[in-house]
């Protein structure tokens, strides 16, 4: 009985001292869970064929032939038809969709967007992807394909693995027509005859920095990217058959290859589209069916460069049809050729790359920190609400990943990225500074009690090692007393952890 009382007294003393000492020591490491996962979906294979058509060069000084034939638009949706189709889709697929507008064209036509997700309109820790069609008024194939895409996802959700993967793991936003006025006028530019793919702020030349001078369609896209944190996107064009990636221009306006910091990742993304296509990858003009924009022909004020620089969004420019305005009877075939490309590009957001969240070790709250990759001059910011990040990367042997947040110590680790995705969470330790003789946390200190401050000051000179020795000694004494009292404890074998883990 005396033995039990002595044991109880020692443990009570240890707990009392620990309650004061623990705030002085934070965990020196964090456990990061990273696991690679990939999903596959079955799809019908197309027979291989050789692309014998020649891509058109859409040079800025090209003379665009005005096409005013009434028969040209026969079989295509009018703007009124498109609006009706979008609203009908919203009613038919209301369980997985949301219809909203991001603005209006010069002539006041709403820029309707279809969001497809199992939780449309809700903020989640999932990547967001956007498709934009009909950027140029005389390239209407994209708007038709995107309606095909939306309907296919609605019809095949829960029955097709790829459709289910996209709906449940991605927030897909579809803007079928960015340039409805240009479409109705059968012109490349908008109602003000401005090429919308030359109307964004440019990194090399002082173009379009005056917000008031930008077109309403351009402003709508910019504001849209501010409202929603898109991971990746693509615009659909016509007149060639190729997947185009940044940079779109060069410093000296020369026609030469000029890659952005994530050149390898963009080549990987473009190849996903071209190799999923019926015959894009067999192009004789573009090896592998992909091209660097500046190497093809430089443009300035383009949308895809702006997205990468200012919106943190990896965007491709997709030329999906050699003929800008093919006969409407060809649309089902063009959809069939592009279907798997459109789906696989969206699915790649969750089937590849690096994904995770950033937390504080102090209180566990999410931190909207920054993720950077050693050797790549580009950063990705985590979300404000959940601190989730989605970093697209090309498969590679290894990457060194660094997480930073003002007021916290940065952490880094090395990952191996194969064909699957990797999940990697960071737990950052707050920085501590010494003010006077009291050790304080600059960011979440709540030391108001005078006695507590005096005690912290008294203990401030102790090293963490002494504290650990003290605890170990108490534990050893307890063990001796337990053995002497012939108490028995059962042991358990821990079950193996399925996920790969790393301590940083």
């Amino acid at each position: 009985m005396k033995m039990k009382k002595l044991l109880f007294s020692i443990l009570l003393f240890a707990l009392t001292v620990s309650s004061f000492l623990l705030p002085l020591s934070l965990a020196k490491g964090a456990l990061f869970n990273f696991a690679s996962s990939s999903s596959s979906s079955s799809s019908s294979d197309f027979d291989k064929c050789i692309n014998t058509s020649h891509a058109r060069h859409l040079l800025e000084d090209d003379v665009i032939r005005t096409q005013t034939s009434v028969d040209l638009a026969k079989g295509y949706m009018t703007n009124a038809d498109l609006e009706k189709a979008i609203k009908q889709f919203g009613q038919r697929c209301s369980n997985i969709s949301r219809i909203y507008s991001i603005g209006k064209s010069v002539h006041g036509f709403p820029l309707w967007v279809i969001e497809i997700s199992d939780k449309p309109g809700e903020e989640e820790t999932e990547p967001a992807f956007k498709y934009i069609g009909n950027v140029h008024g005389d390239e209407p194939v994209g708007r038709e394909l995107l309606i095909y895409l939306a309907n296919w996802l609605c019809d095949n959700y829960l029955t097709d693995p790829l459709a289910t993967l996209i709906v449940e793991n991605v927030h897909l936003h579809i803007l079928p027509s960015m340039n409805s006025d240009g479409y109705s006028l059968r012109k490349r530019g908008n109602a003000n005859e401005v090429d919308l793919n030359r109307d964004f702020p440019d990194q090399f030349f002082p173009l379009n920095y005056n917000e008031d001078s930008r077109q309403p369609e351009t402003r709508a896209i910019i504001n849209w990217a501010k409202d929603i944190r898109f991971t990746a996107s693509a615009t659909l064009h016509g007149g060639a058959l190729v997947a185009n990636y940044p940079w779109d221009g060069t410093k000296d306006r020369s026609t030469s290859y000029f890659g952005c910091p994530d050149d390898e990742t963009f080549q990987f993304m473009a190849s996903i589209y071209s190799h999923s296509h019926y015959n894009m990858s067999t192009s004789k003009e573009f090896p592998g069916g992909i091209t660097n924009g500046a190497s093809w022909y430089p443009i300035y004020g383009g949308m895809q460069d702006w997205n990468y620089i200012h919106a943190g969004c990896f965007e491709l420019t997709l030329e999906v049809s050699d003929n800008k305005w093919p006969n409407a009877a060809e649309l089902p075939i063009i959809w069939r050729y592009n279907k798997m490309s459109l789906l696989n590009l969206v699915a790649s957001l969750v089937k590849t790359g690096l994904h995770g969240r950033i937390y504080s070790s102090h209180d566990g709250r999410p931190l909207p920190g920054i993720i950077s990759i050693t050797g790549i001059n580009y950063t990705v910011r985590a979300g404000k609400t959940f601190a989730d990040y989605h970093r697209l990367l090309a498969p590679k042997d290894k990457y060194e990943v660094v997480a930073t947040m003002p007021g916290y110590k940065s952490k880094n680790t090395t990952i191996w990225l194969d064909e699957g995705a990797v999940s990697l969470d960071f737990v950052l330790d707050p920085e501590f500074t010494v003010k006077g003789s009291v050790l304080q946390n600059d960011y979440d200190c709540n030391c108001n009690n005078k006695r507590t401050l005096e005690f912290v000051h008294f203990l401030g000179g102790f090293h963490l090692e002494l504290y650990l020795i003290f605890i170990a000694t108490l534990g050893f004494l307890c063990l001796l007393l337990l053995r002497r009292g012939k108490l028995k404890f059962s042991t358990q074998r821990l079950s193996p952890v399925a996920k790969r883990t790393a301590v940083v």
Side-chain angles (χ1 to χ4, degrees):
M1 188 68 180
K2 292 182 179 180
M3 185 69 68
K4 291 184 178 179
K5 289 183 177 180
L6 178 60
L7 175 61
F8 178 76
S9 299
I10 293 175
L11 290 176
L12 181 61
F13 175 73
L15 290 173
T16 303
V17 175
S18 299
S19 66
F20 288 101
L21 291 178
L22 282 175
L24 295 177
S25 62
L26 291 172
K28 295 297 181 182
L31 187 65
F32 305 133
N33 296 324
F34 61 99
S36 60
S37 63
S38 61
S39 57
S40 59
S41 60
S42 59
S43 62
S44 58
D45 295 327
F46 294 115
D47 295 331
K48 293 184 178 179
C49 71
I50 298 177
N51 180 14
T52 58
S53 59
H54 298 282
R56 295 184 184 177
H57 293 272
L58 307 180
L59 297 177
E60 197 164 359
D61 57 354
D62 278 353
V63 177
I64 306 299
R65 184 177 59 182
T66 303
Q67 298 175 310
T68 57
S69 172
V70 175
D71 293 333
L72 185 66
K74 185 177 181 180
Y76 283 84
M77 291 180 289
T78 64
N79 287 331
D81 293 336
L82 178 63
E83 183 176 46
K84 182 179 179 181
I86 291 173
K87 291 181 177 181
Q88 287 179 343
F89 175 89
Q91 294 174 352
R92 185 171 72 90
C93 304
S94 59
N95 59 320
I96 60 166
S97 69
R98 174 175 70 107
I99 308 300
Y100 65 98
S101 173
I102 60 171
K104 293 183 177 181
S105 67
V106 174
H107 287 166
F109 189 83
L111 302 178
W112 293 111
V113 175
I114 301 171
E115 180 187 6
I116 298 178
S117 168
D118 59 337
K119 295 180 180 179
E122 296 184 25
E123 188 173 2
E124 298 184 272
T125 60
E126 296 179 352
F129 189 103
K130 69 176 186 289
Y131 271 126
I132 300 177
N134 203 197
V135 177
H136 292 134
D138 60 346
E139 298 171 13
V141 172
R143 59 194 258 150
E144 300 282 343
L145 294 187
L146 293 180
I147 294 298
Y148 274 111
L149 174 64
N151 281 305
W152 186 89
L153 288 171
C154 178
D155 294 338
N156 291 276
Y157 174 54
L158 297 179
T159 60
D160 182 274
L162 189 54
T164 305
L165 173 74
I166 291 173
V167 173
E168 296 185 348
N169 296 278
V170 179
H171 279 260
L172 174 60
H173 299 255
I174 297 175
L175 173 62
S177 179
M178 177 184 174
N179 190 2
S180 54
D181 294 347
Y183 172 79
S184 62
L185 295 170
R186 309 293 188 263
K187 292 183 177 180
R188 180 180 179 85
N190 69 347
N192 292 330
E193 298 187 356
V194 174
D195 188 329
L196 297 179
N197 202 33
R198 308 292 189 277
D199 195 41
F200 287 81
D202 187 76
Q203 62 172 321
F204 300 120
F205 303 101
L207 302 174
N208 312 317
Y209 282 96
N210 183 2
E211 293 188 15
D212 295 333
S213 66
R214 293 180 200 140
Q215 299 302 301
E217 297 91 345
T218 307
R219 291 198 301 270
I221 298 296
I222 292 176
N223 292 331
W224 190 24
K226 292 179 181 178
D227 291 338
I228 299 176
R229 190 169 51 95
F230 291 105
T231 298
S233 61
T235 59
L236 275 60
H237 295 255
L241 198 61
V242 66
N244 179 6
Y245 56 89
W247 297 122
D248 255 338
T250 57
K251 296 179 180 179
D252 58 1
R253 294 184 180 271
S254 63
T255 303
S256 58
Y257 195 107
F258 196 43
C260 69
D262 278 289
D263 189 58
E264 289 185 7
T265 299
F266 273 107
Q267 289 187 49
F268 173 66
M269 291 175 60
S271 295
I272 289 176
Y273 196 92
S274 70
H275 286 277
S276 301
H277 191 275
Y278 175 60
N279 60 349
M280 185 180 287
S281 63
T282 63
S283 171
K284 293 182 178 180
E285 182 174 0
F286 305 103
I290 66 175
T291 185
N292 171 259
S295 178
W296 186 15
Y297 64 92
I299 70 167
Y300 300 92
M303 191 190 304
Q304 75 175 5
D305 284 11
W306 179 88
N307 267 280
Y308 180 66
I309 296 170
H310 298 283
C313 177
F314 288 53
E315 179 163 293
L316 298 177
T317 302
L318 306 173
E319 304 282 352
V320 297
S321 170
D322 281 307
N323 190 344
K324 280 190 176 187
W325 206 312
N327 190 293
E330 299 178 26
L331 290 174
I333 299 174
I334 297 174
W335 156 245
R336 181 167 160 250
Y337 286 3
N338 285 276
K339 170 186 168 183
M340 292 310 303
S341 297
L342 293 167
L343 294 168
N344 285 336
L345 185 59
V346 178
S348 69
L349 265 65
V350 292
K351 296 173 72 173
T352 62
L354 180 64
H355 311 267
R357 299 176 68 180
I358 306 175
Y359 301 94
S360 167
S361 65
H362 175 64
D363 53 14
R365 66 187 176 93
L367 300 176
I370 294 175
I371 296 294
S372 59
I373 307 296
T374 301
I376 301 179
N377 185 25
Y378 190 81
T379 60
V380 170
R381 183 175 293 276
K384 294 181 180 179
T385 304
F386 302 110
D388 60 305
Y389 71 89
H390 308 278
R391 182 50 163 103
L392 298 181
L393 290 166
K396 195 176 181 180
D397 289 342
K398 64 179 180 179
Y399 288 99
E400 183 180 11
V401 188
V402 183
T404 58
M405 175 72 186
Y408 289 80
K409 299 176 183 178
S410 64
K411 291 274 183 77
N412 67 286
T413 188
T414 300
I415 64 164
W416 281 260
L417 189 63
D418 50 21
E419 293 296 329
V422 170
S423 177
L424 177 63
D425 291 344
F426 282 94
V427 181
L428 303 185
D429 298 327
E431 290 180 346
F432 285 81
T433 60
V434 177
K435 292 184 178 180
S437 59
V438 179
L439 189 64
Q440 287 187 322
N441 179 350
D442 280 345
Y443 293 89
D444 285 318
C445 184
N446 187 19
C447 306
N448 296 321
N449 188 282
K450 183 177 180 180
R451 292 182 179 180
T452 304
L453 286 174
E454 292 174 352
F455 188 72
V456 171
H457 171 61
F458 171 75
L459 295 175
F462 282 83
H463 294 291
L464 179 62
E465 289 80 1
L466 294 179
Y467 168 68
L468 294 175
I469 292 173
F470 171 72
I471 295 298
T473 302
L474 286 178
F476 181 70
L477 290 174
C478 290
L479 181 61
L480 289 177
L481 292 173
L482 290 173
R483 287 184 176 179
R484 183 173 298 180
K486 297 182 180 181
L487 297 176
K488 297 181 180 180
F489 291 88
S490 62
T491 60
Q492 271 189 328
R493 177 174 296 181
L494 296 177
S495 58
V497 180
K499 291 185 179 181
R500 293 181 293 161
T501 60
V503 177
V504 179

